[in-house]
């Protein structure tokens, strides 16, 4: 967790909370009397609100008895700063502990319960292509992809099964590291033939919208992360293919470079071989907002 510095300043009748980034750059301040946020760089306002909002929420949870505030403090320290009247503190959940394939597992379980025990067992015995099977295989692919991502170095941050919006959509994996930010979509197709040519993705000769969906997913993630981080966050969509035992061919990668198709086992190598674009502080700043459930609400 990035140690965003938040300090209280009171002088000449003013009371403010100033926030600074991990490298000491001032983001701006919250006027405790008016509840207004101020920054010389308007692009910093979303991140400024997040940092101070988290600071205030932590103080409310911890509480103190004397109400004193140290001149310099970092988020997580036990000090009391009550939010001013009219200042809303966003409530969010930390999604960093969500397990890979969690959403797909839930849908597989729901489909299994809808089938009933007898039909479920029969479907498994004959290998029927049911919704339960599709979600279960998808969850297996996400877990296998997560195992590859777990091998990345300590400078990388990974989130799994990130729920986006209110319509049940989710991103299999959000990966943040020196080369940038990636939305990884795991596709598990046992005993299938995969062919990719530009924006065309074929599974057993049938065209599927994987590339279009991945491009949209990456752009959506970039927009949401940019809004919350307060600086531009570029995102690349990656389709990690698992299975494809009857053949896997990438004749040509998607046209605009916004999406890349790779074998699941080559995912880690692909990510690590890309040129570095983000520093340690930028990675921490992006991860700090990415792990908040409220970032992904649209």
């Amino acid at each position: 967790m990035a140690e965003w510095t938040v300090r209280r300043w009171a002088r000449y009748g003013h009371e403010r909370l100033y926030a600074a980034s991990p490298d000491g750059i001032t983001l701006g301040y919250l006027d405790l009397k008016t509840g207004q946020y101020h920054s010389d760089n308007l692009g910093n306002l979303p991140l400024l609100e997040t940092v101070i909002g988290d600071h205030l929420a932590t103080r409310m949870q911890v509480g103190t008895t004397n109400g004193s505030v140290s001149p310099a403090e970092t988020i997580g320290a036990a000090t009391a700063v009550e939010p001013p009247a009219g200042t809303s503190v966003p409530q969010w959940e930390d999604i960093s502990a969500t397990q890979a394939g969690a959403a797909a597992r839930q849908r597989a379980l729901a489909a299994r319960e809808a089938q009933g025990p007898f039909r479920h067992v029969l479907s498994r015995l004959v290998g029927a292509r049911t919704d339960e099977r599709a979600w279960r295989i998808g969850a297996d692919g996400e877990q296998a992809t997560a195992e590859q991502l777990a091998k990345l170095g300590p400078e990388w941050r990974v989130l799994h099964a990130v729920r986006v919006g209110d319509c049940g959509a989710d991103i299999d994996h959000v990966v943040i590291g020196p080369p940038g930010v990636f939305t990884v979509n795991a596709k598990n197709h046992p005993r299938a033939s995969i062919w990719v040519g530009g924006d065309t993705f074929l599974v057993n000769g049938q065209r599927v919208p994987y590339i279009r969906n991945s491009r949209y997913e990456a752009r959506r993630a970039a927009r949401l992360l940019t809004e919350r981080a307060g600086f531009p966050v570029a995102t690349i969509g990656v389709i990690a293919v698992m299975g494809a035992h009857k053949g896997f061919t990438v004749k040509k990668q998607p046209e605009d470079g916004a999406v890349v198709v790779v074998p699941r086992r080559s995912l880690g190598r692909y990510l690590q071989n890309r040129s570095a674009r983000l520093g340690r502080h930028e990675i921490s700043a992006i991860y700090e907002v990415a792990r908040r459930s409220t970032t992904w609400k649209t």
Side-chain angles (χ1 to χ4, degrees), residues 156-171:
W156 292 79
R157 304 288 183 270
V158 182
L159 299 169
H160 305 293
V162 177
R163 295 182 181 274
V164 183
D166 299 316
C167 298
D170 79 298
I171 302 174

Side-chain angles (χ1 to χ4, degrees), residues 1-297:
M1 180 176 176
E3 292 186 350
W4 300 97
T5 301
V6 179
R7 64 180 180 82
R8 185 172 180 175
W9 179 90
R11 195 174 298 174
Y12 312 122
H14 298 289
E15 288 187 79
R16 300 171 180 172
L17 282 181
Y18 279 88
S21 65
D23 53 3
I25 298 176
T26 299
L27 297 176
Y29 67 86
L30 167 65
D31 189 313
L32 289 171
K33 291 188 174 182
T34 66
Q36 297 295 312
Y37 290 90
H38 300 267
S39 177
D40 292 336
N41 183 349
L42 294 180
N44 286 336
L45 286 176
L47 183 57
L48 174 65
E49 292 180 19
T50 298
V51 171
I52 292 184
D54 187 42
H55 177 85
L56 294 173
T58 302
R59 299 307 169 273
M60 293 177 69
Q61 292 171 1
V62 175
T64 63
T65 57
N66 59 19
S68 62
V69 180
S70 59
E73 53 193 343
T74 57
I75 291 177
T79 56
V81 179
E82 294 298 325
T87 301
S88 61
V89 178
Q91 299 299 312
W92 55 273
E93 296 180 7
D94 188 343
I95 62 174
S96 62
T98 303
Q99 297 296 310
R105 291 287 181 206
Q106 289 179 358
R107 296 193 179 189
L109 180 59
R112 176 175 177 174
E113 292 175 347
Q115 274 186 314
F118 176 77
R119 291 182 59 191
H120 171 69
V121 172
L122 181 61
S123 297
R124 292 290 293 267
L125 288 175
V126 301
R129 295 180 179 275
T130 63
D131 287 344
E132 185 276 336
R133 177 181 182 272
W135 287 116
R136 173 166 42 85
I137 289 176
D140 291 343
E142 291 183 43
Q143 285 189 325
T145 302
E147 292 174 5
Q148 295 294 123
L149 296 173
K151 298 176 183 179
L152 296 171
E155 68 273 25
W156 292 79
R157 304 288 183 270
V158 182
L159 299 169
H160 305 293
V162 177
R163 295 182 181 274
V164 183
D166 299 316
C167 298
D170 79 298
I171 302 174
D172 294 347
H173 316 277
V174 175
V175 184
I176 307 165
V181 181
F182 305 85
T183 54
V184 180
N185 197 326
K187 293 300 180 184
N188 188 7
H189 287 284
R191 300 182 297 279
S193 172
I194 303 294
W195 187 92
V196 179
D199 279 7
T200 300
F201 195 116
L202 304 180
V203 178
N204 291 331
Q206 299 296 313
R207 187 164 185 163
V208 291
Y210 291 168
I211 293 173
R212 182 194 67 191
N213 293 349
S214 181
R215 183 179 286 116
Y216 171 77
E217 184 176 80
R219 288 175 177 171
R220 190 181 191 185
R223 175 175 60 82
L224 295 174
L225 291 172
T226 295
E227 289 174 356
R228 299 307 299 167
F231 56 85
V233 179
T235 305
I236 293 177
V238 180
I239 301 174
V241 177
M242 179 178 171
H245 298 142
K246 293 185 178 179
F248 176 64
T249 302
V250 178
K251 189 76 172 179
K252 183 181 179 182
Q253 290 288 352
E255 300 290 346
D256 57 4
V259 178
V260 177
V261 182
V262 299
R264 191 261 308 180
R265 293 185 182 277
S266 300
L267 176 59
R269 183 166 61 254
Y270 162 75
L271 293 172
Q272 291 178 319
N273 286 345
R274 293 182 61 88
S275 300
R277 297 177 54 254
L278 300 178
R280 177 170 57 88
H281 296 315
E282 292 171 302
I283 293 172
S284 295
I286 296 170
Y287 177 68
E288 193 63 27
V289 297
R291 71 186 185 90
R292 290 166 159 77
S293 60
T294 49
T295 293
W296 305 99
K297 301 300 181 183

